[in-house]
Amino acid sequence: MVTVSIRELTKKFGKVIAVNNVTLDINHGEFMVLVGPSGCGKTTLLRLIAGLEVPDHGRILFDGEDVTDLPPYKRDTGMVFQNYALWPHMTVFENIAYGLRIRKVPRNEIKKRVKWALELVKLEGLEDRYPHELSGGQQQRVALARALVVQPKVLLLDEPLSNLDAKLRVEMREEIRRLQKELGITTIYVTHDQEEALTIADRIAVMNMGQIIQVGTPYEVYRRPRNLFVASFLGRCTILWGKVLKVSRDYITVESEGHIFKGIVPSNDIKVHVEEGVALVIRPEDVSLEGDASSCNIVRGVVDWISFSGDHLDVKVKINNSRILLTLDADADINVGERMTIYIPYDSVLILPAKGVYEVAYAKEL
Amino acid sequence: MSIRAGITKLARKYNLDSFILVQLVLVVSILVIFLILPISTLLVKAFVHEGHFSIKYFRELFSDPEAIIFPPRGLMIRVETTYRYEILPNGTRILIPEKVIYIGKMGPDFGYLLNSLFVALMVALFSLILGVPTAFIMAKYDFPGKSLFSILLLVPMLATPFVNAFIIGKILGRSGVLNYILFEKLHILPYRIEIAGLPAVILIQTLTFFPIVYLNVYAAIMNIDPSLEEQAENLGAKGFKLFRTITWPLSLPGIAAGLVLVFIFSLEDLGAPIGLSGAFGHGLHQKVISFIIYDEFRKAVGGIAQIYPTTYALAVFLLFIATTGFLSIKKYISLRTYAMMVKGTLLNRRIKRISTIRALAIYVFLIPLVFISSFPQIGTVILALTDWALRIRPPLPSRFTWEYISSLIRDPSVFRAILNSLTYSSIAVIFIILIGTSASYLVARSRIPGRDIIDALVTIPIATPGIIIAVGYLLFFATYFAGTPLSPFNNPGLLLIFTYTIRRLPFTARTVFAGLQQIHVTLEEVSYSLGAGRATTFFRIVLPLIQGNIVGGALLSFVYSMGEVSTSITLSALNPTQGPITFKMSQAIYATAAVGSVCIAAALGVLLMILQIIAISISNYVLKQRVALIGV
């Protein structure tokens, strides 16, 4: 178990800055997820940690020891790739035993450890198969076993589940989470899937354009996004534009779309001022059809759009020129064109400075 | 920061380690000593006069009245009356006057510089006319017997150097097979016809080289993503419109690459001029650049001072044209492009079944093409197995014989030539595997600056005339290695190992590079992350995965080393006992007066063909694709 410290790391490919001055600390045994849209630099950051890319600037430390100039084979990391990268000319056993053979582990010990690793990933009995004889999920488990069997200092996973179908993906991410907790290996996991990131991580680093935008627990980054990019990238939300009317100790009062909203800033160090243009972020699950008038914004509008999603309905309510997204029970009896009154708790309206608005391009169309 | 730390940092930046360094040193040193320095020496010789830069020799070259003759001298078609002996049944001999149409014998003669260019342009043009339709038919239509044709179309590519030209010469000569059948027996022709000179060279080279255009265009069409054509069809294009707007423009790179290669191969070809010399003796077919340089080589036996420097200027002129051609298509023949083309062949093809009438039209085109173009190969077998060469009237074989085939083992000088070839080619292949694999690995996987130069250097031998390499070696090694085992006067055989290495390197380098491109780099990265260093990863992961490509490429390199002509016949002239198969063949056809020697050359040709068939079949099987399509 080691800590991984990344200090002012920068990597350019030609003119493109893939990783831009990133600093990040990962604790002993922590499960850190790097998440962001494609091209945000998350994979490059992972490869820099693995030693597969060489940084232009900055340091990488494992347990305080500088590994920046070490080649990948001296870093003692275990790596799992999106395409599994199983060697087609080797059996499952040989694939898993490879790292142990490199480390000159005695033959008997190798047998024992490979058996242990196979049990860990629940693949006992498949030692003699070749990779092409395995299903995608099984290949994924072999790749994982191969990385784990050498008991690396750091486990690095690059989009390990994106080649699996949706159901298996959910199953495997629970499995990976369980194994990681069981073994306590410091783990860095790259994904573009925000839902996967939220369910699997101890902490999440949200990246965009080569930089880390916010680091925090899944709860923090989801409930208290510090800017619009994080808010719109993780989960769904409605963004309204408004102007600050009043800043008090408890709430900030904002005028938007002809309504007065009360809301909060995600963190005390984020300051907004009267007259400032701001964004209001509202999660659909926080919007309901009833509530306590003393702690809720109450908004009236017209149902504009309904979409059936199996276990729930997505509904958009039009107020003025904007639409607020909410989710309702699947059997709720509503129709497009109906008038509707919605309740949004003050605590659930996040007020964010409107700067950096261009990043919202990534936000889902609402 | 200490020096050591600085070096570590730099090494990390370019991903340098001892393994890469060893490969780099190996590749660069071989390429420098055996490619760059010899050719540089040639350049220096051509451009330096009495210690100064000078274009004196070029001026002399271009002012040679035989170099450029314009307008051309001599008529291309000329009718003459000749007399032929006929023995009457009563034993009296009479002279019968006959009209003979000579095509090419007396002209045209543009002078040797323009002759070469004229021949090369014509060969490229005719290869285009034959190769492109063939490629479209084979790529786009399905008809009965297609797979048979796809094999038969490769027959003309089986190299039977000199013998092929000799046979064509014998067939087209005044008393050859063609005249015997069409004039004497069937009386279809009103006159005898003899095709010689430049037209004969053009004919032979076209038959030999058109498959290169065919294969390149075929590969280009096969690599067009079928969805591009489907999209066009979806938008309403079909038939000729589809062809003109989508298929043709997308296959243009393949056509261009094929044409330029054929142009260069024609310029450097020695097989046709020498083979025709065997059939017709001296004549205009010898008045081309490659033959003139070759002819000068015989003077070199007395030392390189015997060669007048305009010969070097002539070689540089040839090199200049070839290099210009190479640069114009470099984009399409680098390692990278080749790998891309190999990958593409996995797509699902769009092949049309066609009506019987169209199939008949295809047969009318393909059957004569296949028959005529593979006649040199058929003829070689007949020449080797019958008394054909000894028969003058009628010029047809009368009996079967093992005599010539068995002389491959019985005749000590022939057997020695075979052993020489096997030895040189085997050793060359070891070098080729080492350098080809290393070079491809460097280009594909390292981050060394300048790896594009390595890419260019291992592909440029495809387009470098062998005769240039021969001249360069003669100059470089005779000047700087006189008296050592590397002197061309002592051991031309040793140098041949290296000319084969350089000239046949591209085959292996390309197949290996294609293999590396198909291995996902993460397979190696996992190995690094598990603690294996560069060398371990190379031997345990990379090598097992590309071994098929190495074997396939090495077999091609081997077999085309066995058939290598230009450097083999020129350098060996300095010490004939070390001559390989092709040298023996050239001697048998051109230099030896004995009639049966032609048949021994044919027997050697049969041996070469068998080796080629075996090597290409295994190679195709291992690589699961057609042989190195560009630049065979």
Side-chain angles (χ1 to χ4, degrees), chain B residues 80 196 230 282 324 345 612:
Chain B
E80 275 189 10
E230 281 158 7
H282 296 297
T324 311
T345 50
Q612 288 172 73

Side-chain angles (χ1 to χ4, degrees), chain A residues 73-319:
Chain A
Y73 45 89
K74 290 189 182 156
R75 292 202 184 185
D76 203 5
T77 60
M79 188 127 189
V80 178
F81 287 94
Q82 179 173 1
N83 64 352
Y84 320 136
L86 298 181
W87 299 304
H89 60 301
M90 295 185 191
T91 61
V92 168
F93 182 90
E94 288 165 338
N95 264 283
I96 298 175
Y98 185 86
L100 299 172
R101 285 181 177 155
I102 297 294
R103 286 167 173 71
K104 305 222 157 43
V105 174
R107 192 180 288 255
N108 280 342
E109 179 71 13
I110 290 181
K111 266 192 184 160
K112 248 189 268 169
R113 302 241 321 246
V114 172
K115 190 163 178 282
W116 167 82
L118 281 169
E119 277 167 13
L120 207 62
V121 298
K122 299 178 182 156
L123 282 182
E124 302 96 320
L126 297 184
E127 290 86 341
D128 297 330
R129 298 268 187 98
Y130 279 93
H132 68 266
E133 298 169 317
L134 302 176
S135 70
Q138 288 171 327
Q139 291 183 20
Q140 173 63 71
R141 285 161 195 266
V142 174
L144 200 57
R146 183 176 61 182
L148 290 173
V149 78
V150 296
Q151 296 171 336
K153 287 183 185 161
V154 187
L155 180 62
L156 303 172
L157 303 110
D158 185 8
E159 307 242 7
L161 303 181
S162 51
N163 281 4
L164 299 177
D165 65 59
K167 225 174 177 174
L168 201 55
R169 203 150 59 213
V170 173
E171 207 178 299
M172 277 306 294
R173 75 183 182 215
E174 285 161 9
E175 189 87 8
I176 291 174
R177 170 87 188 161
R178 175 184 67 80
L179 283 172
Q180 194 269 340
K181 286 297 142 205
E182 216 172 290
L183 302 171
I185 299 177
T186 308
T187 299
I188 305 170
Y189 185 110
V190 162
T191 181
H192 66 272
D193 182 339
Q194 43 91 17
E195 189 196 332
E196 195 172 293
L198 291 170
T199 51
I200 206 170
D202 290 332
R203 281 199 301 156
I204 292 176
V206 183
M207 291 187 71
N208 191 30
M209 299 165 89
Q211 291 179 309
I212 292 184
I213 309 292
Q214 186 173 356
V215 185
T217 63
Y219 182 86
E220 281 167 0
V221 292
Y222 184 78
R223 296 304 306 178
R224 296 288 178 260
R226 292 178 57 89
N227 69 21
L228 278 178
F229 174 77
V230 177
S232 53
F233 185 76
L234 294 173
R236 303 189 298 168
C237 63
T238 301
I239 296 171
L240 301 175
W241 306 102
K243 200 166 77 182
V244 178
L245 297 178
K246 195 177 126 200
V247 179
S248 68
R249 211 164 53 96
D250 295 328
Y251 299 112
I252 294 155
T253 312
V254 176
E255 187 265 316
S256 173
E257 299 295 344
H259 284 74
I260 305 296
F261 288 90
K262 278 187 182 172
I264 55 166
V265 286
S267 163
N268 287 332
D269 59 322
I270 294 175
K271 304 283 184 214
V272 293
H273 308 284
V274 175
E275 288 290 299
E276 186 182 338
V278 290
L280 292 75
V281 174
I282 303 163
R283 297 283 183 201
E285 63 272 21
D286 293 332
V287 183
S288 47
L289 298 183
E290 51 209 39
D292 178 0
S294 65
S295 63
C296 284
N297 298 292
I298 301 169
V299 185
R300 287 181 190 85
V302 177
V303 175
D304 191 44
W305 176 90
I306 302 171
S307 163
F308 178 65
S309 302
D311 60 344
H312 70 273
L313 293 180
D314 286 331
V315 177
K316 284 179 189 168
V317 175
K318 187 167 181 177
I319 54 161

Side-chain angles (χ1 to χ4, degrees), chain A residues 47 51-54 69-73 75 77 79 81 83 85-90 98 102-103 146 150, chain B residues 5 8-9 12-13 17 447 520 522-534 536-537 540-541 544-545:
Chain A
R47 290 172 61 82
L52 297 170
E53 302 288 350
V54 183
D69 292 328
L70 288 185
Y73 45 89
R75 292 202 184 185
T77 60
M79 188 127 189
F81 287 94
N83 64 352
L86 298 181
W87 299 304
H89 60 301
M90 295 185 191
Y98 185 86
I102 297 294
R103 286 167 173 71
R146 183 176 61 182
V150 296
Chain B
T8 317
K9 207 179 156 110
R12 274 289 287 152
K13 186 171 173 201
D17 46 50
R447 291 185 201 142
H520 204 288
T522 54
L523 293 185
E524 290 151 66
E525 291 176 343
V526 166
S527 171
Y528 299 138
S529 81
L530 288 171
R534 176 80 74 170
T536 313
T537 303
R540 290 226 205 153
I541 307 294
L545 293 174

Side-chain angles (χ1 to χ4, degrees), chain B residues 138-204:
Chain B
M138 296 304 285
K140 288 284 169 201
Y141 298 110
D142 192 11
F143 48 91
K146 182 180 170 177
S147 47
L148 179 68
F149 278 108
S150 71
I151 295 169
L152 292 179
L153 277 165
L154 297 177
V155 171
M157 297 203 76
L158 295 173
T160 53
F162 318 114
V163 187
N164 59 347
F166 177 84
I167 288 166
I168 296 291
K170 275 297 179 201
I171 291 171
L172 299 179
R174 203 166 15 141
S175 34
V177 178
L178 196 72
N179 283 317
Y180 176 75
I181 296 172
L182 297 184
F183 175 76
E184 288 183 39
K185 288 287 156 204
L186 301 176
H187 307 293
I188 292 174
L189 292 175
Y191 307 109
R192 282 182 184 274
I193 292 181
E194 175 171 309
I195 302 177
L198 300 185
V201 176
I202 292 170
L203 175 69
I204 292 162

